[in-house]
Amino acid sequence: LSQTPGCSVGFLKILTPSLIFTSIYRRDFYKILGVSKSASVRDIKKAYRKLALQLHPDRNQDDPTAADKFADLGSAYEVLSDEEKRKQYDAYGEDGLKEGHHGSHNDIFSSFFGDFGFMFGGNRQGQQDRNIPRGNDIVLDLEVTLEEVYSGNFVEVVRNKPVAKEAPGKRKCNCRQEMRTTQLGPGRFQMSQEVVCDECPNIKLVNEERTLEVEIEQGVRDEMEYPFIGEGEPHIDGEPGDLRFRIKVMKHPVFERRGDDLYTNVTISLVEALVGFEMDITHLDGHKVHIVRDKITKPGARVWKKGEGLPNFDNNNIRGSLIVSFDVEFPETQLNDNQKEGVRAILKQASVQKVYNGLQGY
Amino acid sequence: MGFIYTLRVLIKSILVLILWSKCEGRESEFNYVTCGSLVKLLNTRHNVRLHSHDVKYGSGSGQQSVTGVESADDANSYWRIRGKPDGTCQRGVPIRCGQAVRITHMTTGRNLHTHHFSSPLSNNQEVSAFGENGEGDDLDVWRVQCDGSIWERDEAVRFKHVGTDAFLSVTGEQYGNPIQGQREVHGMSTANQNNYWKAMEGVFILPSQEPLRHHHEEL
């Protein structure tokens, strides 16, 4: 079967043995991605994205096995991210997969990072030296919920963009103003400005479409950006600009974020404040945070729950705290004289009536 | 001998064709305009894209001008489709026909807006870009009018202003310098061929799954 142009069917790569990944149809795709057999599609995407940046051959120029590891990673993602292929793989192993891998790994990589995403980390290195004109950048505000910040998520988008393609004929390019000297007669010259252009191959713009995957990483902060290199607007004489997703974390009806900590308020009854109570707070991913109070809870009291905040962006294993502030709801109905006596008898609290300036901290 | 050769070439070509079509990379089947998406809007009658820039009208309200441009690769032609300020538009959910939206200019953060001022060239209703950082006022809201139930990307739709009932339109009048060749965009009260717009280039957000609801991972 001949190789199809633009579609790498990595047969040769499969034949090359390497240290970590076993050869010829025996690769453990789960191990390559570092995920468990029960991993969700989201976990798989997340693992691919993290490893792809690390293992890209351009980043590992000293490693002779880099290209193989990278190809294995692409194959692993291609199989495990597709429901059908994953089922076949789980049942029959790599041998059981249908002939050949049809997607080019470049396609998969660029759906996470953009066409030029191999310029890792979003930096266009060497760009300044070459002075190549660049198309405009596109910035898209991506609204995310606090639930997504807590658990992470992937957003698929379809990017329809104009792409510069060669067309028959020539066009004018690099047009500039030049001074021309024309001779009017012996010893008489005239200087005039003229527009002078070069000839370049003709370009037309064709709309192309592809899917991109944006990861909402756990703990992501407001205004953080995820660039997709080369997915912005084209430039007829140069390179396309970038597409950047700017994260905008939306307000939440229950939780307020401060850094990695979460704040919430709970209103309890006066009875509960005095005699104690037990309650559950439903967290962003559905799990319950249990709170037990057997002492008196004053208005403004805070309960500090360590580890119940948001995961830290740089290290997901570190979590902030959940701080619960209590306020007390007093009964609506007025007390009659008997009840008032009863309250005085039970509480046995002397009259206080302290007068002070509360707004200045006295 | 010649027949078998031709047959082999034919089979090889068919196989190449099948493999090649699979190698195109995933074609998108998602055909709707969704909340939060970034689009360029093409006026189908005059073939220009809705556009704005940091140039103010010299008459009328003096607010930022909105025009129609011929080029297809200008980042100043991108607009974001958002819900009304009350937040009823969820990211990735397709926009329904009849739904009220705000259309926010990507590079300047101002909303597509119209009001009772005259447009400079044709004396129709002036359409401007208004507000800061996506926040303007009640006259920023437009209703998407289309046949069917959802705003499809292939479909030409109309935008009817909530408040003045004007349709977003182009009738072909052209500006001179400094925005040479750009067309006037204005509001007009009648529905006709001039007020059809189609979503072209852009970034279309697909609906997401809910983030996983699961118990705490082992810490």
Side-chain angles (χ1 to χ4, degrees):
Chain A
L1 199 68
S2 55
Q3 289 245 353
T4 358
C7 181
S8 57
V9 190
F11 286 131
L12 288 174
K13 294 184 187 123
I14 294 175
L15 290 174
T16 317
S18 60
L19 288 169
I20 302 173
F21 307 102
T22 53
S23 58
I24 313 186
Y25 304 125
R26 294 288 163 78
R27 295 177 291 183
D28 184 344
F29 286 153
Y30 290 98
K31 201 150 149 216
I32 291 176
L33 279 170
V35 296
S36 73
K37 293 242 181 337
S38 58
S40 67
V41 175
R42 216 198 66 217
D43 293 334
I44 288 170
K45 285 182 182 178
K46 192 175 158 122
Y48 172 81
R49 193 169 169 274
K50 197 170 100 192
L51 287 170
L53 272 180
Q54 286 174 17
L55 295 180
H56 197 286
D58 285 3
R59 264 208 148 156
N60 298 286
Q61 307 213 345
D62 307 330
D63 183 354
T65 61
D68 297 328
K69 289 188 204 160
F70 191 64
D72 285 338
L73 183 68
S75 306
Y77 176 77
E78 198 203 329
V79 169
L80 295 187
S81 64
D82 179 309
E83 214 180 294
E84 271 302 310
K85 291 188 188 157
R86 185 176 179 179
K87 262 191 226 150
Q88 287 179 343
Y89 176 77
D90 286 343
Y92 307 114
E94 204 177 334
D95 300 355
L97 292 170
K98 293 211 188 85
E99 265 281 309
H101 298 293
H102 297 309
S104 121
H105 189 185
N106 277 331
D107 237 13
I108 297 174
F109 186 80
S110 51
S111 73
F112 283 89
F113 299 103
D115 274 338
F116 295 88
F118 57 84
M119 295 188 193
F120 24 86
N123 296 321
R124 290 165 160 268
Q125 297 178 356
Q127 180 72 39
Q128 277 67 22
D129 315 331
R130 292 180 295 168
N131 261 329
I132 291 186
R134 223 178 106 198
N136 295 130
D137 283 350
I138 297 176
V139 182
L140 202 165
D141 284 333
L142 194 65
E143 275 148 2
V144 304
T145 61
L146 219 50
E147 282 83 354
E148 290 177 310
V149 175
Y150 186 79
S151 306
N153 205 355
F154 267 90
V155 183
E156 264 183 277
V157 305
V158 171
R159 169 73 176 122
N160 180 305
K161 61 179 180 180
V163 176
K165 298 270 192 212
E166 281 181 11
K170 299 272 183 210
R171 65 184 170 99
K172 293 193 180 334
C173 61
N174 294 334
C175 290
R176 55 200 179 271
Q177 299 262 6
E178 277 187 5
M179 297 294 286
R180 281 281 144 96
T181 317
T182 40
Q183 186 166 27
L184 295 176
R188 281 164 63 210
F189 296 91
Q190 183 185 55
M191 293 204 74
S192 54
Q193 271 202 336
E194 245 183 55
V195 177
V196 165
C197 299
D198 291 341
E199 251 192 8
C200 290
N202 200 8
I203 303 244
K204 63 173 181 195
L205 291 176
V206 174
N207 280 3
E208 278 186 0
E209 204 161 282
R210 50 106 35 83
T211 307
L212 299 175
E213 303 265 1
V214 191
E215 182 174 7
I216 301 173
E217 291 173 288
Q218 284 177 288
V220 68
R221 294 177 208 123
D222 208 42
E223 305 286 323
M224 274 184 163
E225 287 189 359
Y226 287 87
F228 283 74
I229 310 293
E231 294 295 337
E233 287 299 87
H235 195 292
I236 288 196
D237 293 317
E239 282 178 358
D242 303 332
L243 168 61
R244 304 201 308 264
F245 290 91
R246 191 194 292 148
I247 301 289
K248 295 279 194 192
V249 184
M250 297 194 290
K251 284 194 301 197
H252 196 274
V254 172
F255 297 101
E256 174 75 7
R257 177 191 199 169
R258 298 245 180 102
D260 292 340
D261 293 331
L262 289 172
Y263 285 76
T264 190
N265 296 67
V266 176
T267 306
I268 52 177
S269 70
L270 180 58
V271 172
E272 287 170 319
L274 290 172
V275 308
F277 61 93
E278 209 175 325
M279 68 174 292
D280 280 331
I281 294 182
T282 306
H283 212 295
L284 293 165
D285 69 347
H287 84 272
K288 305 258 193 264
V289 179
H290 195 63
I291 297 183
V292 179
R293 292 284 298 171
D294 50 10
K295 299 213 188 82
I296 290 180
T297 308
K298 299 180 189 170
R302 285 175 159 190
V303 166
W304 209 276
K305 289 282 187 184
K306 286 179 92 74
E308 290 290 357
L310 293 172
N312 180 276
F313 178 75
D314 299 304
N315 180 352
N316 287 164
N317 292 324
I318 301 178
R319 274 179 204 232
S321 307
L322 171 65
I323 296 107
V324 186
S325 300
F326 291 95
D327 51 270
V328 180
E329 192 170 277
F330 275 62
E332 296 292 324
T333 45
Q334 300 302 321
L335 301 174
N336 62 36
D337 288 333
N338 259 344
Q339 290 167 318
K340 286 184 188 174
E341 260 314 303
V343 170
R344 277 193 207 95
I346 292 175
L347 290 178
K348 293 199 195 13
Q349 189 186 20
S351 169
V352 176
Q353 296 179 5
K354 187 175 130 198
V355 186
Y356 65 103
N357 182 351
L359 295 172
Q360 291 291 348
Y362 281 95
Chain B
M1 193 59 193
F3 172 72
I4 294 180
Y5 175 73
T6 318
L7 192 62
R8 279 170 60 191
V9 168
L10 192 65
I11 292 178
K12 271 214 184 127
S13 320
I14 293 177
L15 282 169
V16 166
L17 219 63
I18 293 174
L19 275 178
W20 177 73
S21 63
K22 283 202 151 64
C23 287
E24 275 294 353
R26 217 165 82 212
E27 293 272 320
S28 109
E29 296 131 9
F30 197 82
N31 220 26
Y32 311 121
V33 180
T34 58
C35 193
S37 294
L38 206 63
V39 296
K40 284 187 183 169
L41 294 167
L42 179 80
N43 181 287
T44 49
R45 176 87 175 76
H46 297 274
N47 229 12
V48 291
R49 284 167 172 74
L50 191 68
H51 179 96
S52 188
H53 37 213
D54 203 1
V55 173
K56 297 201 177 352
Y57 282 120
S59 61
S61 67
Q63 291 173 10
Q64 183 170 304
S65 59
V66 172
T67 61
V69 296
E70 289 175 353
S71 59
D73 60 349
D74 193 333
N76 271 330
S77 308
Y78 277 110
W79 300 81
R80 210 166 133 236
I81 309 296
R82 302 160 64 209
K84 295 188 296 180
D86 62 7
T88 46
C89 198
Q90 208 192 1
R91 187 193 76 211
V93 172
I95 306 280
R96 293 179 318 277
C97 293
Q99 184 171 344
V101 296
R102 287 182 296 176
I103 302 174
T104 306
H105 187 234
M106 180 187 85
T107 43
T108 60
R110 299 201 160 103
N111 296 331
L112 193 67
H113 180 97
T114 187
H115 40 205
H116 291 302
F117 281 94
S118 279
S119 62
L121 303 179
S122 67
N123 264 330
N124 280 303
Q125 191 170 293
E126 182 195 88
V127 167
S128 65
F130 175 75
E132 291 298 321
N133 274 330
E135 298 309 311
D137 67 15
D138 297 334
L139 292 177
D140 297 345
V141 185
W142 301 77
R143 215 169 276 286
V144 179
Q145 257 196 18
C146 42
D147 314 320
S149 52
I150 299 189
W151 179 3
E152 298 191 24
R153 284 168 55 193
D154 298 338
E155 206 190 339
V157 303
R158 289 195 174 101
F159 295 100
K160 188 169 182 184
H161 186 242
V162 175
T164 62
D165 285 342
F167 288 98
L168 188 70
S169 313
V170 176
T171 43
E173 302 82 10
Q174 290 191 28
Y175 289 103
N177 280 325
I179 46 177
Q180 184 79 38
Q182 296 188 16
R183 312 286 198 275
E184 186 193 81
V185 168
H186 49 243
M188 61 196 316
S189 47
T190 47
N192 52 39
Q193 294 301 315
N194 290 316
N195 23 63
Y196 275 120
W197 299 84
K198 195 165 118 170
M200 299 293 288
E201 301 79 12
V203 183
F204 299 91
I205 303 183
L206 272 56
S208 289
Q209 288 186 324
E210 288 291 316
L212 280 179
R213 321 256 307 162
H214 59 291
H215 59 87
H216 246 301
E217 305 134 49
E218 295 83 314
L219 283 174

